[in-house]
Amino acid sequence: MTTPSAGWGLSNGGLIACPSGPAAWVDAPYDRRLAEEFLAASAPLLAPGGTVDSVFVTHGNGDHLWGASVLPEAEIIATEETVHHIEFDPDPATMRTLVHSGATDPVTRYLLRHFGGFDWSDCVPVLPTRTFTGELELNVGRIPVRLRPVGPAHTGGDLIVHLPEQQVVFAGDVIFASTDEQPGDHVVHWAGPLSGIIKACQDILDTGARTIVPGHGPLLDRAGVLAHISYLEYLAERAQALHSAGLTAYEAARQLATERRYPELGLVERLLVTLSSEYRYLDGSTETPNPLQIAGQMAQLAWELEESA
């Protein structure tokens, strides 16, 4: 299932199925309504009498996890580190309260604008039921699947899902894709560093896959992944230079926004999250960031950029 190329929470997901045996999802949509639509779209592709018995979770953000509640009997498989990430993220009830608080400050307005279309009223928290370290090889019916951790990257517990016979990799949010035909958004990375994300992209290429399903945005070929690596290298170079010049992460994000090196990409304010992660790496900090605090700063930056436009 691919979604519109741009916008918060509009994640891609996948169905792995064969003519006989159970099936699996790669990630789940953000809320129950979207997940039920995905389940209905999956049904005609299942084996006769087949069910979706597993969900391979690429990372712990809600837009790749919470919809798994429509599959209460399914095994939810993720890395051990993903469980730790989930502990720090707001749950569905918290997000619903934040988005619909009725406040008029810039942060609440931002959340309502970008997340108000999701309905978490009947969403229950979802946790992995099976975790692992190292690589995990299994089969979905007759289809070999390799789950490979590549974090820390987008989060501390990212994994990629490799289907070697099909030459396909589900990259999760290691990649936020964009093409000339379908422009996407700027990346938003909560862990990093950027060098680790670049390495994860190279790991994807090293599988030999020819079709890469990003966490958000259009499908990519190998050339598309190389183009994304160039973008990440640009961010790493500018972050290093601005950090050395004494700019804060907030000031650096504002500077990159004004440079408009990639004007086709939306949600430029998200660079604050990525740069904050990179700055912690450059500072040698082991501090665990508060996602809501950083999101508040990002919303403030978005408001400032709109006011100055």
Side-chain angles (χ1 to χ4, degrees):
M1 180 182 76
T2 56
T3 58
S5 299
W8 279 99
L10 300 173
S11 61
N12 295 327
L15 170 70
I16 304 173
C18 62
S20 62
W25 276 2
V26 180
D27 286 336
Y30 209 176
D31 65 15
R32 193 173 182 89
R33 175 184 61 82
L34 291 172
E36 288 174 344
E37 291 176 2
F38 188 19
L39 189 57
S42 299
L45 304 175
L46 301 178
T51 55
V52 179
D53 288 4
S54 304
V55 182
F56 307 139
V57 180
T58 61
H59 63 287
N61 289 150
D63 57 334
H64 294 257
L65 174 63
W66 291 349
S69 61
V70 303
L71 301 169
E73 303 302 320
E75 185 174 46
I76 312 298
I77 303 175
T79 64
E80 284 190 9
E81 187 59 37
T82 288
V83 177
H84 301 305
H85 176 87
I86 293 171
E87 293 173 354
F88 290 97
D89 262 11
D91 62 19
T94 301
M95 276 296 294
R96 185 166 182 260
T97 299
L98 289 169
V99 171
H100 299 288
S101 70
T104 58
D105 59 282
V107 175
T108 305
R109 291 203 306 269
Y110 184 91
L111 292 174
L112 183 61
R113 179 194 308 170
H114 293 287
F115 297 92
F118 300 104
D119 181 7
W120 301 298
S121 58
D122 55 358
C123 237
V124 297
V126 177
L127 291 174
T129 58
R130 178 182 180 185
T131 61
F132 67 98
T133 58
E135 295 190 21
L136 179 62
E137 296 189 8
L138 39 74
N139 290 314
V140 176
R142 296 192 300 271
I143 301 174
V145 179
R146 297 173 181 168
L147 306 184
R148 178 178 178 181
V150 293
H154 173 68
T155 68
D158 298 310
L159 64 82
I160 60 175
V161 180
H162 179 207
L163 280 59
E165 293 184 355
Q166 288 73 25
Q167 296 184 302
V168 171
V169 165
F170 291 87
D173 283 2
V174 168
I175 298 179
F176 289 80
S178 179
T179 63
D180 292 340
E181 297 78 17
Q182 293 179 268
D185 292 316
H186 280 282
V187 299
V188 54
H189 292 306
W190 301 95
L194 284 164
S195 59
I197 300 162
I198 292 169
K199 181 182 182 303
C201 290
Q202 187 59 56
D203 288 343
I204 290 168
L205 291 175
D206 289 346
T207 67
R210 296 186 177 277
T211 301
I212 293 85
V213 184
H216 299 260
L219 301 180
L220 294 180
D221 57 16
R222 295 176 66 82
V225 176
L226 289 170
H228 189 67
I229 288 174
S230 295
Y231 160 75
L232 295 172
E233 290 173 338
Y234 155 75
L235 290 183
E237 178 184 350
R238 294 297 292 131
Q240 175 69 63
L242 296 170
H243 180 270
S244 297
L247 275 69
T248 66
Y250 193 97
E251 293 165 340
R254 189 178 180 92
Q255 174 64 34
L256 291 187
T258 60
E259 290 178 4
R260 291 181 57 80
R261 173 72 178 273
Y262 291 87
E264 74 279 8
L265 297 181
L267 300 175
V268 68
E269 67 274 7
R270 300 202 314 190
L271 290 176
L272 174 60
V273 179
T274 302
L275 290 177
S276 295
S277 300
E278 188 70 1
Y279 267 46
R280 288 193 299 274
Y281 167 71
L282 294 172
D283 290 335
S285 172
T286 58
E287 173 190 4
T288 299
N290 182 324
L292 292 180
Q293 182 180 31
I294 295 176
Q297 295 170 350
M298 178 187 62
Q300 180 66 31
L301 177 61
W303 179 79
E304 289 183 11
L305 292 172
E306 289 177 5
E307 288 294 299
S308 62

